[in-house]
């Protein structure tokens, strides 16, 4: 039976000619495993496209930075990619239209940002072919990537479980030999309109392809040796974790670790397709394998992660003592203001919860006013969430060691929450103490 893998590389991995050469070496090393490659746009191209859109709304059309990057990269790689010239002309025409209308709709925005991925895959396919490795560039819709029409945050349709294998089966069974280089992040709806898949879109592109095709594994390539026990910039002693579960990986991603986006785990969990986080600078390292359940004994503690710029909101209402609608009212206000809650702790008449400060800055005054009608409310910014990914079956021992270490370091925990998933315990501390807390906990829990 033929083996097949999916390899996903983010924008920083293909940010320059040198990086593209390096990624091409990695793809070449795995060519016998029949790789399907998913790419993001080159470097900061997506940001530059959005900057160009803002300029166009003001009446100015300028793609100089985008054009220079791609033409200079092609020259440095020694490849001629006429399709990139065509796409640049198409982009210039689109921006001219935006400049005339002085308007950028969500639909047009998705069309605009798609140019980054579309040029990236053509660059890589041309370079691989130049090196004697047969490769073919595909836009996502060419291999059956169908979505709804929720522009900027589209969801893939269930049809993809049928359409993707319909297009890629010839490559998997060996009748087609060219390595597919596929755009991440983008799709088309059933009307043929380009959409983008929102946050973590490239990760989702890779995992749905891998899951739908029954791939041996999905590889996502980073610049570290897989998932680490902590951020190595904070904890010098951080070490790679050989294996985590899908659930643990989702929690890590939710609380600050640079792993796959949580929604991208959904296709893998449906099929049990393993995901491996690899280091593009150390391809011999085995990385971290993400699976349904641990192959051996579940470790008491897997990793520690942190999120800064958090606001802690305390809500208390003696007027609603014993009232069944207290929590319902609280959550309805967050729903009204479209504010997502990260961590929560409750009692009968009080609730403490955290939200991301950056996402609520403009909405917070309105939320506070609505909540103040039934409760006393206090919001305090400058907080951080420190999350210990662990086996909750060991929570008593973990909390004993954690609080003993934190007490010894003179650190006060302002709130604690054990996740319903049973794989995390979160501590709320002052943001200024975040790095120190991670170091102290790592020292106590990974002796």
């Amino acid at each position: 039976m033929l083996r097949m893998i999916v390899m996903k590389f983010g924008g920083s991995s293909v940010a320059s000619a040198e990086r593209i050469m390096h990624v091409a070496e990695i793809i070449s090393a795995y060519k016998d495993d029949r790789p399907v490659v998913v790419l993001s746009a080159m470097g900061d191209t997506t940001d530059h496209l959005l900057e160009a859109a803002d300029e166009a709304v003001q009446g100015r059309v300028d793609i100089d930075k985008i054009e220079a990057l791609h033409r200079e990269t092609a020259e440095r790689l020694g490849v001629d990619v006429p399709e990139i010239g065509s796409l640049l002309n198409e982009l210039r025409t689109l921006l001219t239209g935006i400049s005339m209308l002085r308007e950028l709709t969500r639909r047009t925005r998705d069309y605009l940002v798609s140019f980054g991925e579309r040029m990236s895959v053509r660059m890589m396919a041309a370079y691989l072919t130049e090196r004697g490795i047969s490769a073919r560039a595909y836009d996502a819709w060419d291999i059956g990537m169908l979505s709804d029409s929720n522009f900027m945050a589209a969801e893939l349709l269930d049809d993809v479980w049928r359409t993707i294998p319909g297009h890629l089966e010839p490559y998997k069974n060996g009748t087609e030999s060219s390595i597919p280089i596929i755009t991440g992040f983008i799709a088309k709806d059933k009307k043929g309109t380009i959409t983008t898949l929102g946050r973590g879109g490239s990760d989702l592109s890779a995992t749905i392809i891998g899951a739908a095709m029954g791939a041996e594994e999905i590889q996502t390539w980073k610049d570290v040796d897989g998932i680490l026990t902590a951020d190595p910039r904070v904890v010098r002693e951080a070490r790679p974790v050989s294996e985590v579960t899908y659930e643990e990986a989702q929690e890590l991603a939710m609380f600050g670790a640079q792993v796959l986006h949580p929604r991208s785990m959904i296709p893998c969990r449906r099929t049990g397709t393993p995901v491996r986080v690899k280091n593009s600078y150390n391809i011999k390292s085995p990385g971290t394998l993400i699976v349904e359940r641990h192959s051996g004994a579940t470790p008491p503690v897997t990793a520690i992660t942190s999120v800064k710029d958090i606001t802690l909101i305390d809500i208390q209402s003696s007027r609603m003592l014993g009232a069944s609608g207290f929590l319902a009212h609280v959550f309805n206000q967050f729903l009204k203001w479209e504010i997502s809650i990260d961590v929560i702790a409750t009692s009968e008449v009080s609730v403490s919860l955290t939200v991301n400060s950056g996402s609520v800055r403009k909405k917070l005054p309105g939320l506070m006013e609505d909540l103040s009608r039934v409760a006393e409310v206090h919001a305090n910014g400058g907080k951080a969430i420190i999350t210990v990914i662990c086996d909750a079956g060991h929570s008593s021992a973990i909390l004993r060691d954690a609080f003993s270490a934190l007490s010894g370091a003179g650190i006060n925990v302002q709130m604690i929450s054990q996740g319903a998933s049973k794989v995390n315990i979160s501590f709320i501390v002052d943001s200024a103490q975040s790095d120190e807390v991670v170091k102290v906990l790592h020292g106590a829990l990974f002796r």
Side-chain angles (χ1 to χ4, degrees), residues 309-322:
D309 196 23
I310 295 296
T311 294
L312 174 62
I313 302 176
D314 294 313
I315 307 164
Q316 187 168 8
S317 178
S318 56
R319 285 178 292 161
M320 296 192 72
L321 180 65

Side-chain angles (χ1 to χ4, degrees), residues 38-40 117 121 140 182-186 197 201-202 205:
V38 176
L39 295 186
S40 297
E117 276 72 15
V121 297
I182 302 170
T183 55
F185 182 59
I186 61 178
L197 303 179
S202 290
S205 300

Side-chain angles (χ1 to χ4, degrees), residues 111-124:
Y111 176 23
L112 174 81
V113 298
S114 75
F115 284 90
E117 276 72 15
R118 291 158 72 191
M119 289 190 287
S120 175
V121 297
R122 285 159 175 81
M123 189 81 74
M124 180 62 77

Side-chain angles (χ1 to χ4, degrees), residues 159-317:
D159 302 53
V160 299
W161 292 95
R162 169 183 51 82
T163 56
I164 291 172
H167 287 86
L168 290 180
E169 189 59 36
Y171 176 69
K172 185 178 182 182
N173 65 30
T175 56
E176 167 62 49
S177 60
S178 296
I179 296 174
I181 314 294
I182 302 170
T183 55
F185 182 59
I186 61 178
K188 274 187 177 179
D189 65 13
K190 287 195 170 182
K191 296 178 182 178
T193 306
I194 295 174
T195 61
T196 61
L197 303 179
R199 290 186 62 194
S202 290
D203 289 339
L204 180 59
S205 300
T207 56
I208 190 63
I209 291 170
M213 292 304 300
E216 191 82 11
E217 70 178 29
I218 299 156
Q219 299 175 350
T220 179
W221 290 79
K222 308 285 186 180
D223 57 2
V224 292
D225 285 337
I227 297 170
L228 304 183
T229 52
D231 187 336
R233 295 168 297 183
V234 176
V235 180
R236 295 172 63 181
E237 300 80 20
R239 57 182 186 263
V241 179
S242 61
E243 183 182 78
V244 301
T245 65
Y246 297 128
E247 189 173 33
E248 289 168 342
Q250 284 181 308
E251 294 291 325
L252 279 164
M254 287 293 294
F255 291 103
Q258 296 298 312
V259 195
L260 276 76
H261 192 274
R263 69 197 283 251
S264 69
M265 293 290 172
I266 297 171
C268 305
R269 300 192 73 169
R270 175 169 167 174
T271 60
T273 307
V275 180
R276 192 178 295 275
V277 183
K278 295 274 287 177
N279 186 352
S280 61
Y281 294 98
N282 183 15
I283 68 173
K284 292 184 179 180
S285 169
T288 300
L289 191 63
I290 307 174
V291 290
E292 181 61 41
R293 59 181 59 86
H294 287 283
S295 56
T298 302
V301 179
T302 299
I304 301 169
T305 188
S306 64
V307 182
K308 298 179 182 178
D309 196 23
I310 295 296
T311 294
L312 174 62
I313 302 176
D314 294 313
I315 307 164
Q316 187 168 8
S317 178

